[in-house]
Amino acid sequence: MDLSLNEDQRDLRDLVREFLEKEVVPHRAQWDRDESVDTSIVPRLGELGVFGFGIPEEYGGVQADFFTYVLVMEELGRADSAIRGIVSVSNGLVAKTIAAHGTTEQKEQWLPGLATGQQLGCFGLTEPGNGSDAGNLATKARRDGSDYVLQGEKIFITNGTWADVALVFARTSDEGPRGVTAFLVPTDAPGLTRTEIKGKLGLRGQATASLAFDDVRVPESAVLGEPGTGFKIAMTALDKGRVGVAAGCVGIVQACLDAVVEYTGERTQFGKPIAGYQLVQEMIADISLDADAARLMVWRAADLIDRGEPFRVAASKAKLFASEAAVRSSNLAIQAFGGYGYVDEYPVQKLMRDARVMTLYEGTSQIQKLLIGRAETGINAF
């Protein structure tokens, strides 16, 4: 395997990094304090093309392989994980799922806006009583003539109050996972209430919301894919989504490494830079190892996707390792910064807060271990 980047990939990575260093990094601390990014950044990111990766060019998308997508996700995670979440949910979970399973009419309706950042999407799967147990959804969609009527609640929905369309998974029969259907629901539909969740530990700059469906009526044409295939659609989206999250975690680890190397090279104690002390270098070495190992696991998963080979287990391994590495590395970064790491004048405390949720969403670390264990043994754990 050739692990070098080609010229186009390097140029794109550098272009995205330059934009983020200028337009995101200087504002991320204030956006974190405000619990909201300046949403004017969204269409500007759209102009950069990051919302269009993997979307057909005829709908305003950008031709790019999945490997290129994860390079960009790493850069977004390095700059601000809140921005990475906005992009990866709208593009990776929603737009790409519409591109893969939508009708021509659905693609024409939603993809041009999503691919350019003029519109945002959110992924309505998690419920107050159902997180890891996604096959046991309580939200229901009953048939009423040629329409469906949705009743239920979703929670922890990224982009929830900003999105123009919600990809919602609801139960249309009592057949377990086979009874789940996917719907494209305009967020201005009567009966849909969106409430932003404040006071989060991390990812404070992105809108996270609960969605309440009180007899929300949608036409049959809102069904994405075939009725009863929603669970499979959701799991397929999350398999690739986990690689995107893992790439963002690589960005967190790299940001920790960059910050620690710079700070410890400048900070002096006992007459010399603290980077010259053995135990500080041990922390730097541990972060550096996590960065390389996590990046290689993400690249392997992306390579499998691009070659059309099975990648589910590789995605789980990448997501598990990279998310836990982000937590470890950000904790070490704060230790290296000492008391200064505990205040938001410096970036490492935000990196730690943003890293923590990565082990929870799009499949907890425990769920990833179960998936890996099942693949190795052929036995469903209980």
Side-chain angles (χ1 to χ4, degrees):
M1 178 188 293
D2 182 0
L3 296 177
S4 61
L5 303 182
N6 63 41
E7 184 177 357
D8 289 342
Q9 290 167 335
R10 288 195 302 270
D11 288 347
L12 177 61
R13 180 198 60 190
D14 294 345
L15 175 67
V16 172
R17 181 178 295 179
E18 181 180 358
F19 175 88
L20 295 173
E21 287 289 338
K22 181 180 178 182
E23 305 296 341
V24 171
V25 171
H27 307 292
R28 64 187 176 189
Q30 190 59 50
W31 290 345
D32 185 70
R33 297 183 194 116
D34 293 342
E35 294 193 67
S36 179
V37 306
D38 180 350
T39 54
S40 68
I41 196 69
V42 172
R44 297 179 64 199
L45 286 164
E47 292 173 3
L48 197 63
V50 299
F51 283 101
F53 288 125
I55 308 303
E57 293 180 354
E58 63 191 284
Y59 299 111
V62 177
Q63 184 176 2
D65 57 17
F66 201 84
F67 186 84
T68 301
Y69 172 75
V70 300
L71 292 177
V72 173
M73 289 302 105
E74 178 181 337
E75 292 304 318
L76 292 171
R78 178 177 174 271
D80 187 349
S81 289
I83 295 293
R84 195 278 309 159
I86 293 168
V87 175
S88 64
V89 168
S90 190
N91 171 261
L93 293 184
V94 180
K96 286 181 178 175
T97 303
I98 295 173
H101 301 281
T103 64
T104 300
E105 292 74 16
Q106 289 170 337
K107 294 175 185 178
E108 291 175 346
Q109 180 179 4
W110 295 116
L111 289 185
L114 294 173
T116 57
Q118 297 302 311
Q119 293 181 310
L120 288 175
C122 64
F123 192 78
L125 181 63
T126 300
E127 298 179 348
N130 291 290
S132 297
D133 189 10
N136 194 31
L137 298 181
T139 299
K140 294 184 178 181
R142 61 179 173 82
R143 193 67 184 259
D144 185 18
S146 61
D147 296 338
Y148 285 89
V149 180
L150 278 67
Q151 187 77 33
E153 185 178 0
K154 302 292 181 178
I155 198 166
F156 304 132
I157 307 303
T158 301
N159 296 341
T161 52
W162 294 342
D164 300 276
V165 59
L167 175 49
V168 179
F169 300 88
R171 181 162 301 288
T172 49
S173 77
D174 295 326
E175 299 179 76
R178 289 185 229 178
V180 176
T181 298
F183 297 88
L184 294 172
V185 182
T187 54
D188 59 0
L192 174 53
T193 302
R194 301 181 284 169
T195 305
E196 188 166 355
I197 298 170
K198 294 289 190 179
K200 295 177 295 183
L201 176 67
L203 301 184
R204 294 165 68 89
Q206 67 185 38
T208 305
S210 61
L211 309 180
F213 299 85
D214 185 8
D215 288 342
V216 175
R217 184 176 293 271
V218 295
E220 186 178 25
S221 60
V223 172
L224 183 67
E226 297 295 325
T229 63
F231 183 80
K232 182 178 180 180
I233 289 173
M235 294 304 103
T236 300
L238 288 174
D239 285 340
K240 290 185 178 179
R242 286 166 182 159
V243 184
V245 171
C249 291
V250 174
I252 292 175
V253 179
Q254 186 64 52
C256 290
L257 181 61
D258 295 343
V260 170
V261 168
E262 179 180 7
Y263 179 79
T264 60
E266 297 172 351
R267 172 72 166 169
T268 60
Q269 290 287 280
F270 306 103
K272 65 178 182 180
I274 63 173
Y277 291 99
Q278 290 180 6
L279 293 182
V280 173
Q281 289 200 3
E282 179 186 44
M283 290 188 284
I284 292 171
D286 286 344
I287 298 172
S288 180
L289 284 170
D290 270 343
D292 278 359
R295 182 176 290 113
L296 287 170
M297 294 183 82
V298 169
W299 284 14
R300 180 182 68 163
D303 181 63
L304 289 172
I305 291 171
D306 283 334
R307 288 194 279 116
E309 296 188 14
F311 66 91
R312 176 170 289 178
V313 177
S316 286
K317 289 181 177 180
K319 201 271 184 182
L320 171 62
F321 186 88
S323 62
E324 296 290 347
V327 173
R328 287 193 300 270
S329 296
S330 58
N331 190 47
L332 286 172
I334 288 178
Q335 196 70 20
F337 270 70
Y340 289 107
Y342 207 66
V343 296
D344 68 0
E345 178 183 353
Y346 294 93
V348 291
Q349 55 79 37
K350 180 181 184 301
L351 291 169
M352 183 190 71
R353 291 187 288 105
D354 288 347
R356 189 60 186 85
V357 77
M358 303 302 174
T359 69
L360 302 176
Y361 72 178
E362 297 200 27
T364 65
S365 291
Q366 288 69 34
I367 288 295
Q368 305 313 319
K369 289 179 179 180
L370 290 177
L371 292 172
I372 296 165
R374 182 174 65 191
E376 293 289 354
T377 64
I379 301 172
N380 285 319
F382 57 91

